[in-house]
Amino acid sequence: KLHLYSVRESYRELEEKTRRLEQALTRLKELDRLKLNFLATVSHELRTPLTSIIGYSEMLGEGIAGELNEEQAEFVKTIHGKGEQLLALIMGLLDLSKLESGTMSLRESPTQISRVLGDVVSTLAPVARKKEVDLVLDDDGVACELAADPERLRQVFVNLVDNAVKFTPKGGSVTLRARVVDGADDDEPGAALLAPVRRDVVVSVADTGIGIPPVERAKVFDAFYQVDSSSTREYGGTGLGLSIVKRIVEAHGGTVRIESNEATGAVFVVTLPSAQSRRSLPSRVPAAL
Ligand code: ADP
């Protein structure tokens, strides 16, 4: 009898503990939701005044409100540069909060990869020219349609090319190359017999910059990770770009990997399934587990 009593007691205790754990979990989920909400609201509210700061400092720099002396021009340039840096951080945080909450939407539309890459190159050509880095597009007339969100893919390649230019010294080069290849077999056994051969688009972004040591290759895709995060770091940036790139590429059914060599620079390789190999795009980037 005593035994039965103690079993019942233990059961009751267990039930109580489970109830408390469930309560704590609900509370944690609620806090997480509030955190993401807060992040999204603050980022959004910061963006508007910052856009004014950037716009007005740019106009001042162009001499629209009168000629500036050398020192004034230098100060205005710093304000403008720091404003741009802050805006990039805010946009990155906004994207991160969308990714975490599973609310980054994807708008599928038939997408020609060569058009996306051409657009990326014309956007970043002035940045490369300013740094005296040669920016080359080699897509060999690749005509391949993707079931993709062109705006998000553009974001992916702007990020990769922007990094490539940033980590490449003056006189170097950045090459964007696109090819169509017969892809890996489908996951389902036998599917390859029924379906047409899977085709993938492979885009590589190769630079002649500082490269990425092998031990760092997996880590650079983590949010906020930078290879050299010391305060004397000479490159700006937020450490958010590649984590966002990876999530967007994976939501497209693709992969991104690094083939880098410190001696010759970094090579990022993005593989994306063509439209004929992929049924459709999810309407949102799925939240990470
Ligand atoms: P960041 O805003 O710092 O560029 P990313 O997430 O885009 O953030 O990149 C993370 C880190 O990966 C960078 O800080 C840099 O250390 C490394 N990295 C990314 N691209 C390159 C590249 N092309 N060459 C060398 N290092 C790179």
Side-chain angles (χ1 to χ4, degrees):
K1 202 162 185 187
L2 197 63
H3 177 64
L4 199 66
Y5 176 77
S6 74
V7 168
R8 206 174 286 150
E9 267 311 285
S10 314
Y11 182 71
R12 220 166 269 148
E13 259 174 45
L14 206 63
E15 255 187 349
E16 177 59 18
K17 275 186 188 151
T18 312
R19 199 182 57 80
R20 279 209 217 116
L21 270 177
E22 274 168 359
Q23 271 178 350
L25 191 67
T26 313
R27 179 86 186 116
L28 278 175
K29 278 189 184 155
E30 174 63 10
L31 283 174
D32 207 38
R33 199 186 58 77
L34 286 174
K35 181 193 80 183
L36 289 172
N37 235 338
F38 174 75
L39 198 61
T41 313
V42 170
S43 313
H44 194 79
E45 294 300 320
L46 285 174
R47 208 168 53 170
T48 320
L50 197 53
T51 312
S52 293
I53 293 174
I54 293 170
Y56 281 112
S57 58
E58 191 167 5
M59 287 199 284
L60 279 177
E62 284 165 359
I64 287 176
E67 276 306 305
L68 303 182
N69 67 34
E70 211 173 298
E71 195 176 32
Q72 288 166 335
E74 196 53 44
F75 289 174
V76 167
K77 196 174 154 203
T78 305
I79 294 172
H80 185 256
K82 297 290 172 192
E84 292 272 15
Q85 208 177 319
L86 206 52
L87 186 64
L89 176 62
I90 289 167
M91 300 301 278
L93 286 174
L94 255 178
D95 277 349
L96 193 70
S97 75
K98 284 186 200 159
L99 284 171
E100 297 254 314
S101 58
T103 56
M104 179 182 276
S105 56
L106 292 172
R107 246 169 258 137
E108 181 179 332
S109 111
T111 305
Q112 283 294 336
I113 191 68
S114 51
R115 181 168 292 183
V116 173
L117 299 180
D119 192 29
V120 169
V121 168
S122 50
T123 304
L124 290 172
V127 184
R129 200 175 314 129
K130 201 165 160 198
K131 224 191 141 187
E132 294 180 39
V133 166
D134 211 13
L135 180 55
V136 185
L137 173 61
D138 164 16
D139 65 0
D140 217 11
V142 158
C144 188
E145 198 172 281
L146 302 175
D149 179 332
E151 240 335 284
R152 290 293 175 198
L153 276 194
R154 188 177 170 280
Q155 181 180 3
V156 162
F157 292 108
V158 161
N159 248 300
L160 294 177
V161 175
D162 193 41
N163 274 346
V165 172
K166 185 165 75 175
F167 293 103
T168 298
K170 185 174 152 178
S173 68
V174 172
T175 309
L176 205 61
R177 188 167 286 137
R179 294 281 179 272
V180 178
V181 297
D182 287 344
D185 284 340
D186 222 74
D187 296 337
E188 296 163 42
L193 295 174
L194 306 170
V197 180
R198 179 181 157 152
R199 306 190 81 202
D200 288 341
V201 175
V202 179
V203 182
S204 61
V205 182
D207 64 54
T208 58
I210 60 169
I212 303 173
V215 289
E216 305 281 358
R217 285 184 204 163
K219 292 189 236 161
V220 293
F221 292 104
D222 291 345
F224 297 107
Y225 190 84
Q226 299 183 308
V227 170
D228 167 19
S229 56
S230 68
S231 55
T232 54
R233 193 172 203 272
E234 56 179 297
Y235 312 98
T238 60
L240 289 176
L242 289 179
S243 66
I244 295 169
V245 161
K246 185 161 189 271
R247 297 286 299 280
I248 295 176
V249 168
E250 286 175 355
H252 280 80
T255 57
V256 52
R257 64 175 201 281
I258 302 176
E259 286 169 10
S260 173
N261 180 326
E262 276 162 282
T264 55
V267 186
F268 281 80
V269 183
V270 176
T271 304
L272 294 162
S274 65
Q276 69 176 59
S277 317
R278 187 183 171 79
R279 272 160 224 109
S280 64
L281 197 66
S283 60
R284 284 168 185 198
V285 178
L289 287 179

